[in-house]
Amino acid sequence: MDTYQRLVRIIVDEHKLPRETLRPDARLDEVGIDSLAVMELLFQVEEEFGIQIPNDQVKLETIDDVVRYVDSLRAQQAPAMPQRAPS
Amino acid sequence: MRRVAVTGIGLVSPLGNSCAALLESLTAARSGIRRLEGERYARLAHPIAAPAAAEPSVATEPAKLRMMDRSTRFALDASAQALSQAGLEPGAFDGTRVGVFIGTGMGGAQSTDDGYHTLYAEQSDRIQPFSVLLSMNNAAASWIGLEYGFSGPNLTFSTACSSSAAAIGEAALRIATGAADVMLAGGAEAPLCLGSMKAWEAIRTVALPDPQDPGASCKPFSKDRSGMVLGEGAAILVLEAWDAARARGAPILAEIAGYGLTTDISHPTHPSVAGQARAMRAALEAAGIAPGAVDYINAHGTGTQVNDAVETAAIKQVFGEGAYGIPVSSTKSLHGHLLGAAGALEFAIAILAMNAGFVPPTAHLRRPDPECDLDYVPNAARAHGTIGTVMSNSFAFGGTSVALLGRRTV
């Protein structure tokens, strides 16, 4: 599955939003992902893709914006950063 | 100043998640205190507490639920019950005239504990995005306002064990002075997480388990009392301007007759007789009634050696010889100490018992203490059909002392 498909799976499974409304150019706020839900989505995306998303505010308006943002972080952070310090 | 009516009571408590269930437990003197099982409590010296009778069941969207700590969920459940009883339909009132005052001692304690566990125990930086929303002390009050469309005054009071008693008194004042027409007032507390329980253990106020029966570990006014037992839950009252409540045919459960708010500055934790007496006198003066008019006192009665002796002496100071004729009970013996939510739960109990015609018991009172010689309604509830005025006491670490008076209206 490519980035877009994995993102759609999170939105459908975790946010319980209908798959039919989702397109790459769909606006997040129009498909039911408000500013708070975006934070949850990014948290889930970190887990899914093994990346760290900086806490800085970033402008993400469409699903495609998220896809491109994730892909750029994956490229910057490859190989995947460890999620936790060894215990 | 307008008169203030109580038109709804909702509660989630160790004695039941409804007024009816709570009354049944009180009349049966059935304790909600028990031993806590499970690994998360293994590090407690004495894993005894009073958990809520059932888990929260807030009817809202999952996305919102994820932003709500356990204490907030309790508050919403209790609010739903109270509003249902009051018969206030959403949209049938002006939301700008309805406010929410909530008392809590420890706010989103469980969520805070979870966050610190992630950070320090798991050594992970992956803190829940909604941690601030989950932990903030004003969360319960805010969510009640958001869910029901109440945009009147919305405040959170945090004065330790008197938080929700203060919230109720302050809410009544807002109605009395015309700043609001309806107020949801009460408290919520969910402190049964390891961090909070360890902290209470460390300050050496927590009871030793009763060797025969963990449910009997909180023994207010008894010679063998050894401390308090933590509890969780929420109690919310709907307060309304008296005339408007009458006009719309609302059920009137009680009138808020008086509110005394004073500060005991003798010591951060050790109460003084004078300090506690002052709060009770202040409530009586605010109500314009004589001590002799009080028919039942729901004591703060934590079960600590110190509070119970001091409170007994304070009651005698205020009520004189008449103190011996007033039933005084600590229902903490059955439901534990709900900290910030204690005042609201206990005032609600006083009102419910008044209307049901009985005085609740002080349970587990088996060894009389010469320093505590009042009528504490030992061990069994007692029919008492002539209760017209009830007092509920809440005294706190830090000194904020509250006494509330409720008057029967039927």
Side-chain angles (χ1 to χ4, degrees):
Chain A
M1 278 200 289
D2 66 11
T3 303
Y4 173 77
Q5 284 164 340
R6 290 165 75 183
L7 191 59
V8 162
R9 188 202 60 74
I10 294 172
I11 294 173
V12 169
D13 290 353
E14 306 294 334
H15 293 251
K16 312 284 187 229
L17 295 172
R19 187 179 290 271
E20 311 81 66
T21 60
L22 306 176
R23 307 175 317 275
D25 64 346
R27 287 186 59 89
L28 293 168
D29 52 15
E30 281 170 9
V31 301
I33 301 175
D34 69 4
S35 58
L36 285 173
V38 165
M39 281 192 263
E40 270 194 309
L41 181 62
L42 294 181
F43 193 70
Q44 289 150 348
V45 158
E46 285 184 317
E47 185 82 34
E48 169 73 19
F49 294 97
I51 55 175
Q52 284 181 354
I53 300 180
N55 279 346
D56 323 328
Q57 294 185 21
V58 59
K59 201 169 156 75
L60 299 167
E61 290 181 334
T62 66
I63 295 183
D64 208 41
D65 287 345
V66 181
V67 170
R68 283 188 279 106
Y69 186 52
V70 168
D71 282 343
S72 75
L73 288 174
R74 291 172 79 194
Q76 284 169 38
Q77 293 176 17
M81 303 285 282
Q83 288 298 289
R84 294 168 184 191
S87 48
Chain B
M1 301 261 277
R2 305 193 290 181
R3 293 172 69 186
V4 181
V6 179
T7 58
I9 296 176
L11 47 89
V12 171
S13 83
L15 297 183
N17 283 12
S18 68
C19 294
L22 170 101
L23 279 173
E24 205 267 315
S25 296
L26 284 172
T27 50
R30 185 182 313 118
S31 178
I33 293 171
R34 53 185 171 82
R35 192 175 169 79
L36 300 174
E37 304 299 340
E39 205 186 305
R40 73 199 278 237
Y41 300 113
R43 289 171 64 185
L44 291 171
H46 306 298
I48 308 268
E55 291 299 291
S57 59
V58 181
T60 193
E61 301 138 41
K64 290 187 197 171
L65 219 42
R66 287 196 290 274
M67 294 185 240
M68 294 175 185
D69 177 78
R70 188 174 176 81
S71 57
T72 295
R73 299 180 191 204
F74 284 152
L76 284 168
D77 277 352
S79 296
Q81 289 176 37
L83 287 165
S84 171
Q85 179 171 33
L88 280 168
E89 294 295 327
F93 51 81
D94 177 357
T96 64
R97 298 290 299 166
V98 183
V100 185
F101 279 9
I102 297 296
T104 185
M106 308 192 78
Q110 180 66 70
S111 299
T112 304
D113 204 66
D114 289 345
Y116 287 138
H117 187 271
T118 300
L119 205 51
Y120 298 120
E122 296 175 19
Q123 288 288 298
S124 166
D125 290 332
R126 290 182 53 73
I127 307 301
Q128 289 295 320
F130 298 146
S131 295
V132 169
L133 298 178
L134 287 160
S135 294
M136 64 190 195
N137 292 329
N138 60 317
S142 297
W143 278 110
I144 294 168
L146 284 162
E147 288 290 274
Y148 291 101
F150 301 150
S151 55
N154 190 306
L155 290 176
T156 298
F157 294 84
S158 197
T159 60
C161 312
S162 54
S163 301
S164 54
I168 290 170
E170 293 297 318
L173 279 176
R174 294 284 166 147
I175 294 175
T177 56
D181 295 328
V182 179
M183 294 290 295
L184 263 71
E189 200 79 75
L192 304 186
C193 54
L194 183 63
S196 302
M197 294 189 76
K198 273 308 235 183
W200 281 99
E201 237 178 36
I203 202 162
R204 299 179 183 275
T205 55
V206 174
L208 297 170
D210 181 281
Q212 266 79 55
D213 171 20
S217 301
C218 184
K219 308 167 197 281
F221 306 114
S222 189
K223 184 100 172 104
D224 55 349
R225 62 189 185 272
S226 64
M228 51 178 261
V229 173
L230 288 176
E232 64 168 358
I236 304 288
L237 279 60
V238 177
L239 306 183
E240 279 186 68
W242 180 272
D243 290 343
R246 272 259 182 263
R248 73 175 184 89
I252 296 189
L253 307 175
E255 178 175 7
I256 306 284
Y259 165 47
L261 171 72
T262 61
T263 311
D264 183 349
I265 54 169
S266 55
H267 188 273
T269 60
H270 193 303
S272 70
V273 175
Q276 293 193 354
R278 233 170 24 101
M280 290 186 262
R281 268 196 219 101
L284 291 165
E285 279 161 27
I289 67 176
V294 175
D295 301 305
Y296 165 66
I297 300 174
N298 186 294
H300 185 56
T302 52
T304 63
Q305 284 288 328
V306 164
N307 176 80
D308 296 357
V310 169
E311 190 171 6
T312 295
I315 289 170
K316 290 180 192 175
Q317 206 183 81
V318 175
F319 294 90
E321 278 300 303
Y324 290 96
I326 306 174
V328 176
S329 65
S330 168
T331 50
K332 287 187 173 78
S333 57
L334 295 172
H335 56 64
H337 193 345
L338 271 68
L339 302 179
L345 176 65
E346 292 159 24
F347 186 54
I349 285 173
I351 291 172
L352 292 167
M354 169 171 70
N355 293 340
F358 76 100
V359 285
T362 304
H364 324 126
L365 215 184
R366 294 171 194 146
R367 294 186 53 198
D369 179 349
E371 278 198 313
C372 301
D373 58 347
L374 299 175
D375 172 13
Y376 303 109
V377 196
N379 305 313
R382 207 156 73 204
H384 201 317
T386 53
I387 311 172
T389 301
V390 294
M391 174 179 274
S392 177
N393 290 343
S394 296
F395 306 122
F397 283 179
T400 299
S401 307
V402 177
L404 291 169
L405 286 165
R407 178 155 48 216
R408 191 161 173 200
T409 58
V410 198

